[in-house]
Amino acid sequence: MSPHRAHVTGVSLSDNPLAPPDLLFPVEPAARAIARRLYYHVRDLPIVSPHGHTDPRWYAEDRPFPDPATLFVIPDHYIFRMLYSQGIALEALGVRCRDGGPSETDSRRIWTLFAEHYHLFRGTPTRVWLDHAFATLFDLNERLGPANAAFYYERIAERLSQPEFRPRALFERFNIEVIATTESPLDPLDSHRALRESDWSGRVITAYRPDPVVDPDFEGFRENLVRFGEVTGCDTFTWRGYLDAHRKRRAFFKSLGATATDHGHPSALTCDLAPTAAEALFAKAVLGDCTAQEAESFRGQMLTEMAAMSLDDGLVMQIHPGAMRNHNPQLFARFGRDIGADMPTPTDYVRALKPLLDRFGNRSDLTLIVFTLDETTYSRELAPLAGHYPALRLGPAWWFYDSADGMRRFRELTTETAGFYNCVGFNDDTRAYLSIPARHDMARRVDCAYLARLVADHRLAEDEAADLAHDLTYHLVKRTYKL
Ligand SMILES: [Zn+2]
C-alpha cells in the first residue's frame, strides 16, 4: 500500500471547529508556516502502532461495536477517572462491579451523563482525541454538550451499524500498517491464531507481557505458575524449568508475530544475582515467602533474565515502570484493576538499571526501551543514559504525559542530550480504538511544531526537519521495533 492516502473522510475538515487545521502549531507566523509544511508530508503516513492494548478479538471476529457508550465511555479510564473525581459513581457510568452489584446498563443514560459533563475535559488530551474522532469519523461539527447529547448518540449509533465501521474496515480506514496488542504468557492467543488463519490482510501482532508470572505480588501468582506449567509443559516450580517455560512461550508469541516484550514493574530495579542466589530467591517466591524487598529483587532479576533471552531470540524489550497500581483500595475491592486509580511514583533509573546495563548495556544487538511516569528523570537520568548506552532507547511520553504539552516537554528535555535517534517514535498505548488516529495525529503535530521551532531558530535546516518528521513518524518506530 502506498504510504500516502486520501484524507480520512474525503471531505474538507477545514471549517470544522472540532478539527482545526492549525491545531497545536506554533503561534509565530514563521514557525507556523514551517510546521504546516512539515506536517503536510507526514499527515497521511501509515500508522505504525508497536505498543497498545486494543482487544485482538475485535480484529478476529470483526463484529460491530455495540453502542456509543460501550465504545467511548465504559472502557476508557481517562474518561471515568475524571468523572469519578467530580463525584460521579462508576456504577452510573456502566463500570461493572466485581460482586455483581447493580451498574447502569442503559447506554443512552450513560451517554447523556457523559455529555452533561463534557466540559470537565476542557484542556485535556481526552477532549482533543474525542473531538477528532467526532469530526473525522462521525462528521459532527458542534461541541458535545447536554443539548446535543441525543443527536450525537443517534449519529454515532447509526454509523456503528454500518459495515464501514466494523473493526477491520476501520483498521483500513485508519491506515494502520501494523498494530501490536499485549498479552499475558497464560493467554492462549486464540484471536491471534484465528487472524493468522483468516484471509484478512491486516497485520495484528501480539507482545509478551509476563507480569502475572514474574511478579510475586501479582494476584494469583502461584496459580499462574501452575497454569504457566500447563501451557508450556515445563516444570515451572524449578528455576530451570521456569526459565525454559519463558523461552518456550516467547517463541510461541514470536510465531504469532511478536517482536517485543513488555514489563510493567513498580520500579526500574534490575538485579544480576549469581545463579544459586537467583534460584534460592525463586524458591521463596514460589512458596509465597518473599519479603517486599525480595519480591522487588526477584522482579529485578527477571528483567536481566529477560534481557538475556532477548539477546537469544531478538525480541525488543520494553520497561514501563513507576506506576503504583490500585491506589484506591475501596474502588479496587469493588471494581478491580484498571479503573483509573493507578498513580505515578518517583522513579530511579541511573542506579536501578545499572546491574542490567553492566551486563548488557554495551550490546547493540539488544534493544531496551525505557518509559517513565516521572518527568524529572527525562533530562537528569533517561536522556543521559540513552545518549550513552547502545542497548538503551527512550520510549515516548507515556500515559499521564501522552498529551500535547507532555510530548513537547519530552522533546525539550531529552533532545539536547539524547538526540532524536535514541528515541523510538510514538506509541499510542491505547485501549480506545477510535482514538488511535487522533493520538497519532497529535504526536505528528507536536513533533512538527517542535521541529519548526528548531528551523525558525536556525538550529536545523528545513530539509533535515522534514527527514526527522518522517523518521519520527514512521522509520524510527519500524526500525526499533523490528516491524
Ligand atoms: Zn501499555
Side-chain angles (χ1 to χ4, degrees):
M1 194 194 290
S2 153
H4 297 278
R5 62 173 170 150
H7 204 277
V8 138
T9 57
V11 296
S12 166
L13 294 168
S14 56
D15 304 331
N16 190 334
L18 301 189
D22 286 331
L23 179 71
L24 302 174
F25 289 165
V27 292
E28 307 89 331
R32 170 163 290 194
I34 299 164
R36 280 181 182 159
R37 288 198 292 274
L38 296 173
Y39 174 69
Y40 178 78
H41 291 290
V42 298
R43 183 188 68 184
D44 297 329
L45 287 172
I47 286 176
V48 178
S49 176
H51 173 75
H53 303 273
T54 58
D55 186 340
R57 279 182 306 179
W58 296 340
Y59 316 111
E61 297 171 7
D62 200 33
R63 283 206 281 253
F65 290 107
D67 63 76
T70 307
L71 184 57
F72 280 110
V73 182
I74 299 170
D76 191 337
H77 58 76
Y78 287 93
I79 291 182
F80 53 71
R81 78 192 305 278
M82 175 64 88
L83 297 175
Y84 185 75
S85 78
Q86 289 281 312
I88 296 169
L90 293 184
E91 291 90 334
L93 296 164
V95 180
R96 296 241 167 77
C97 303
R98 269 172 153 182
D99 60 7
S103 68
E104 184 59 69
T105 52
D106 183 333
S107 155
R108 277 169 202 275
R109 283 169 69 171
I110 295 169
W111 182 263
T112 305
L113 189 62
F114 167 56
E116 283 166 357
H117 295 87
Y118 197 53
H119 63 281
L120 298 177
F121 297 96
R122 289 173 182 165
T124 68
T126 298
R127 162 67 180 270
V128 180
W129 300 330
L130 287 165
D131 279 359
H132 184 279
F134 295 153
T136 58
L137 294 170
F138 301 101
D139 297 313
L140 292 156
N141 56 17
E142 221 180 72
R143 195 161 64 226
L144 176 62
N148 58 15
F151 176 75
Y152 256 75
Y153 189 94
E154 295 307 330
R155 170 68 61 85
I156 295 169
E158 176 221 314
R159 295 272 166 104
L160 292 182
S161 68
Q162 297 170 1
E164 300 80 31
F165 280 75
R166 297 265 182 102
R168 290 182 181 182
L170 287 174
F171 187 100
E172 284 150 21
R173 177 175 180 164
F174 293 165
N175 199 16
I176 297 175
E177 186 174 303
V178 54
I179 194 167
T181 65
T182 306
E183 272 83 37
S184 144
L186 307 177
D187 192 305
L189 303 184
D190 289 339
S191 294
H192 287 278
R193 281 195 280 194
L195 279 163
R196 279 293 161 113
E197 285 155 19
S198 80
D199 53 7
W200 182 57
S201 63
R203 189 171 168 214
V204 179
I205 61 176
T206 181
Y208 189 71
R209 173 115 171 193
D211 305 359
V213 292
V214 158
D215 178 1
D217 293 332
F218 206 95
E219 301 101 270
F221 176 66
R222 210 187 138 84
E223 298 87 88
N224 293 345
L225 286 185
V226 173
R227 284 181 53 211
F228 195 34
E230 287 163 5
V231 297
T232 55
C234 298
D235 181 357
T236 48
F237 285 81
T238 67
W239 176 233
R240 189 178 289 250
Y242 170 75
L243 292 178
D244 274 343
H246 279 291
R247 286 188 197 98
K248 266 190 154 169
R249 208 60 184 157
R250 290 168 63 109
F252 175 63
F253 272 56
K254 220 178 140 179
S255 76
L256 289 168
T259 68
T261 70
D262 183 27
H263 308 274
H265 289 198
S267 80
L269 182 76
T270 63
C271 297
D272 189 16
L273 302 171
T276 47
E279 190 168 0
L281 191 55
F282 175 71
K284 280 189 125 175
V286 165
L287 292 172
D289 279 350
C290 282
T291 62
Q293 204 179 353
E294 285 166 338
E296 180 74 349
S297 300
F298 183 71
R299 290 186 291 264
Q301 179 63 24
M302 285 311 297
L303 288 179
T304 307
E305 300 290 346
M306 290 284 142
M309 289 184 203
S310 279
L311 278 161
D312 291 334
D313 63 20
L315 292 180
V316 170
M317 192 170 166
Q318 305 170 94
I319 307 181
H320 283 94
M324 182 189 281
R325 306 276 170 181
N326 313 317
H327 193 271
N328 184 333
Q330 292 176 29
L331 241 60
F332 177 66
R334 276 178 45 222
F335 299 98
R337 299 171 73 88
D338 299 327
I339 43 123
D342 301 340
M343 300 296 162
T345 58
T347 306
D348 165 67
Y349 294 88
V350 168
R351 290 181 182 80
L353 291 176
K354 197 170 186 321
L356 190 157
L357 293 173
D358 284 349
R359 208 161 138 198
F360 301 124
N362 298 307
R363 300 282 299 258
S364 46
D365 51 348
L366 174 70
T367 304
L368 173 59
I369 304 172
V370 182
F371 296 77
T372 195
L373 290 177
D374 181 351
E375 287 186 301
T376 66
T377 63
Y378 282 153
S379 56
R380 189 185 62 233
E381 304 195 30
L382 289 174
L385 284 165
H388 172 73
Y389 283 103
L392 212 59
R393 294 289 179 270
L394 230 52
W398 172 41
W399 200 340
F400 296 93
Y401 316 115
D402 177 9
S403 61
D405 285 328
M407 289 191 270
R408 180 183 50 76
R409 288 193 296 269
F410 173 83
R411 291 280 175 230
E412 287 174 352
L413 290 169
T414 64
T415 307
E416 289 175 318
T417 303
F420 287 104
Y421 290 92
N422 283 307
C423 301
V424 305
F426 180 63
N427 287 185
D428 58 66
D429 197 13
T430 191
R431 356 186 148 246
Y433 193 37
L434 267 53
S435 75
I436 288 176
R439 289 172 195 242
H440 285 262
D441 186 64
M442 184 184 276
R444 291 172 195 197
R445 286 173 179 275
V446 171
D447 281 341
C448 289
Y450 181 73
L451 291 166
R453 285 191 205 102
L454 297 191
V455 175
D457 284 355
H458 306 289
R459 281 188 277 178
L460 274 182
E462 191 166 332
D463 66 306
E464 294 176 286
D467 279 351
L468 276 164
H470 210 278
D471 284 342
L472 297 177
T473 302
Y474 187 75
H475 295 300
L476 209 46
V477 61
K478 285 197 51 151
R479 202 183 309 145
T480 313
Y481 280 91
K482 304 181 182 177
L483 293 166

